[in-house]
C-alpha cells in the first residue's frame, strides 16, 4: 500500500539555508544609484552589518558592500558576487556551517535557479531553526547512548550506580516513586546526557566504541553544546563557542552516533544460536 511510506518516515527535520537566512524581499539593501551619497555607511553602522546587498536598476543583485574588517565601518569596499559567494537556498544547514568553517567565510548569498534571492551570515545561526537542528542530533545521540548502556550492562549495575551516586538522589527518588505507582519506566531514561557519558566512563564501556579514556573524557564537552541549545535565550555562537568549535562538536556527535549505529547493526545481524 502506498500509504506505508508515511509509516516508514522517521521524521528527520531538514533545516535549510533559506529557513535560517533572510529573503531578498525582507533584507536591508541599498540601490546602486544611492552609493555615491555614502548612505550605506550609516545603514551598516547602525545595523552592525558587515554585508550590504546592492540592488541594480533592473532589481537584481550582482554586487555588495563589505567592511574590510568585521565590525569596523571606517573602510567599506564594493565587491562583485562570484561563484564562491553563493550557494543554493535549499542547502542543508549542516553544509552551510561546514562551508563557513572549511572555506573560512562569514556569509553566502542564496540562489534559486542561479538568481540571487537571499543572504545568510554567521549571525543568522543564532536562531531557533539551528537550535532545533542541533537538538535533534543530540536527542538522537542520547537515545542511542541509553540503548548502548542497557545492551552492555546489567540492570542491577545501573541501579546500583544511580542509587549510590549522591548527585543523582533526586533522579533515584523519582524513579522509586514511579515504581511504587506501578508505572512502567526505564531508569536509563531519567539520566541526562552528562550522566550517560559518566556511566560509560565508570563502567569502562568506551573501548567497545573504539575510544580510549582521554578521548572519551574529551567527548563529554558535547554536553556544553546541549546546554546551549536547551536554553533558547542563550546565543549558540559566542566567544567561548565560535563557529569552529560548533563544527567540531557536530563532527563529534556524528562520529559517536555512527559508531553506536555500527555496533547496533553488527549486534542485530549476529545469529543467535542459543
Amino acid at each position: 500500500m502506498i500509504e506505508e511510506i508515511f509509516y516508514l518516515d522517521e521524521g528527520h527535520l531538514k533545516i535549510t539555508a533559506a529557513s535560517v537566512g533572510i529573503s531578498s524581499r525582507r533584507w536591508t539593501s541599498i540601490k546602486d544609484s544611492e552609493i555615491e551619497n555614502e548612505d550605506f555607511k550609516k545603514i551598516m553602522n547602525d545595523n552592525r552589518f558587515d554585508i550590504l546587498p546592492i540592488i541594480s536598476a533592473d532589481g537584481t543583485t550582482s554586487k555588495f558592500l563589505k567592511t574590510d574588517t568585521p565590525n569596523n565601518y571606517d573602510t567599506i569596499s564594493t565587491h562583485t558576487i562570484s561563484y564562491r559567494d553563493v550557494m543554493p537556498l535549499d542547502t542543508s544547514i549542516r553544509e552551510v556551517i561546514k562551508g563557513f568553517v572549511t572555506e573560512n567565510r562569514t556569509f553566502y548569498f542564496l540562489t534559486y535557479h542561479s538568481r540571487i534571492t537571499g543572504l545568510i551570515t554567521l549571525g543568522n545561526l543564532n536562531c531557533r531553526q539551528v537550535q532545533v537542528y542541533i537538538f535533534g542530533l543530540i536527542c538522537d545521540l542520547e537515545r542511542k547512548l541509553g540503548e548502548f548502556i542497557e545492551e552492555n550492562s546489567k540492570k542491577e549495575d545501573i541501579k546500583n550506580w544511580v542509587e549510590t551516586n549522591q548527585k543523582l538522589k533526586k533522579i533515584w527518588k523519582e524513579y522509586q516513586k514511579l515504581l511504587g505507582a506501578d508505572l512502567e519506566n526505564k531508569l536509563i531514561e531519567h539520566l541526562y546526557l552528562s550522566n550517560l557519558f559518566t556511566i560509560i566512563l565508570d563502567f569502562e564501556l568506551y573501548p567497545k566504541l573504539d575510544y580510549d579514556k582521554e578521548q572519551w573524557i574529551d567527548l563529554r564537552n558535547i554536553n556544553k553544546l546541549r546546554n546551549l541549545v536547551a536554553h533558547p535565550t542563550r546565543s549558540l555562537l559566542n566567544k567561548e563557542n565560535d563557529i569552529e568549535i560548533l563544527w567540531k562538536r557536530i563532527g563529534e556527535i556524528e562520529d559517536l552516533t555512527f559508531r553506536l549505529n555500527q555496533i547496533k547493526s553488527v549486534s542485530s545481524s549476529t545469529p543467535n544460536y542459543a
Side-chain angles (χ1 to χ4, degrees), residues 137-189:
L137 294 178
I138 292 175
C139 284
D140 190 36
L141 175 62
E142 285 192 25
R143 180 175 58 80
K144 287 180 168 61
L145 282 173
E147 293 173 353
F148 171 73
I149 293 170
E150 287 185 315
E151 291 167 1
N152 292 275
S153 309
K154 296 179 181 178
K155 289 184 179 180
E156 286 304 315
D157 290 339
I158 298 174
K159 287 182 180 180
N160 291 336
W161 185 85
V162 175
E163 184 180 10
T164 57
N165 192 320
Q166 292 298 312
K167 295 180 180 179
L168 302 179
K169 277 186 175 181
K170 186 176 180 180
I171 289 177
W172 180 251
K173 287 181 179 179
E174 182 63 26
Y175 175 68
Q176 291 299 312
K177 187 185 299 183
L178 289 171
L179 284 180
D182 199 26
L183 295 173
E184 185 178 351
N185 199 259
K186 288 185 178 181
L187 178 57
I188 203 75
E189 295 176 353

Side-chain angles (χ1 to χ4, degrees), residues 202-219:
D202 290 350
F203 286 10
E204 297 185 349
L205 298 176
Y206 49 85
K208 291 179 178 290
L209 295 168
D210 202 23
Y211 291 107
D212 62 33
K213 186 174 182 179
E214 289 186 5
Q215 290 174 325
W216 188 255
I217 290 174
D218 287 342
L219 276 182

Side-chain angles (χ1 to χ4, degrees), residues 182-199:
D182 199 26
L183 295 173
E184 185 178 351
N185 199 259
K186 288 185 178 181
L187 178 57
I188 203 75
E189 295 176 353
H190 291 264
L191 301 180
Y192 296 104
L193 180 61
S194 59
N195 304 141
L196 299 178
F197 276 110
T198 303
I199 195 171

Side-chain angles (χ1 to χ4, degrees), residues 65-247:
L65 293 159
K66 181 177 181 294
T67 56
D68 291 355
T69 304
N71 300 316
N72 185 324
Y73 305 94
D74 294 332
T75 308
I76 300 172
S77 305
T78 302
H79 300 264
T80 298
I81 298 175
S82 74
Y83 77 98
R84 294 183 181 276
D85 300 320
V86 302
M87 65 168 44
L89 56 77
D90 60 349
T91 302
S92 71
I93 195 60
R94 179 192 184 278
E95 292 305 306
V96 175
I97 295 172
K98 178 183 177 181
F100 280 148
V101 175
T102 59
E103 297 182 10
N104 193 28
R105 299 190 59 87
T106 59
F107 73 96
Y108 285 102
F109 282 96
L110 305 180
T111 61
Y112 182 70
H113 294 170
S114 301
R115 182 169 54 87
I116 305 296
T117 61
L119 174 69
I120 186 170
T121 69
L122 273 179
N124 294 135
L125 298 184
N126 283 321
C127 68
R128 181 182 64 83
Q129 291 93 325
V130 179
Q131 287 179 319
V132 168
Y133 158 67
I134 294 174
F135 197 70
L137 294 178
I138 292 175
C139 284
D140 190 36
L141 175 62
E142 285 192 25
R143 180 175 58 80
K144 287 180 168 61
L145 282 173
E147 293 173 353
F148 171 73
I149 293 170
E150 287 185 315
E151 291 167 1
N152 292 275
S153 309
K154 296 179 181 178
K155 289 184 179 180
E156 286 304 315
D157 290 339
I158 298 174
K159 287 182 180 180
N160 291 336
W161 185 85
V162 175
E163 184 180 10
T164 57
N165 192 320
Q166 292 298 312
K167 295 180 180 179
L168 302 179
K169 277 186 175 181
K170 186 176 180 180
I171 289 177
W172 180 251
K173 287 181 179 179
E174 182 63 26
Y175 175 68
Q176 291 299 312
K177 187 185 299 183
L178 289 171
L179 284 180
D182 199 26
L183 295 173
E184 185 178 351
N185 199 259
K186 288 185 178 181
L187 178 57
I188 203 75
E189 295 176 353
H190 291 264
L191 301 180
Y192 296 104
L193 180 61
S194 59
N195 304 141
L196 299 178
F197 276 110
T198 303
I199 195 171
I200 289 174
L201 179 65
D202 290 350
F203 286 10
E204 297 185 349
L205 298 176
Y206 49 85
K208 291 179 178 290
L209 295 168
D210 202 23
Y211 291 107
D212 62 33
K213 186 174 182 179
E214 289 186 5
Q215 290 174 325
W216 188 255
I217 290 174
D218 287 342
L219 276 182
R220 293 192 296 182
N221 285 319
I222 291 174
N223 194 59
K224 294 179 180 179
L225 181 58
R226 182 207 178 278
N227 290 338
L228 279 178
V229 299
H231 297 83
T233 56
R234 297 182 186 177
S235 293
L236 182 61
L237 295 180
N238 51 49
K239 291 181 180 179
E240 296 181 357
N241 189 63
D242 59 21
I243 187 67
E244 286 81 10
I245 293 177
L246 176 61
W247 177 239

Side-chain angles (χ1 to χ4, degrees), residues 18-35:
S19 60
V20 174
I22 185 168
S23 165
S24 59
R25 293 178 178 273
R26 294 183 291 109
W27 68 17
T28 299
S29 59
I30 190 168
K31 294 180 179 179
D32 195 16
S33 58
E34 298 173 334
I35 293 180

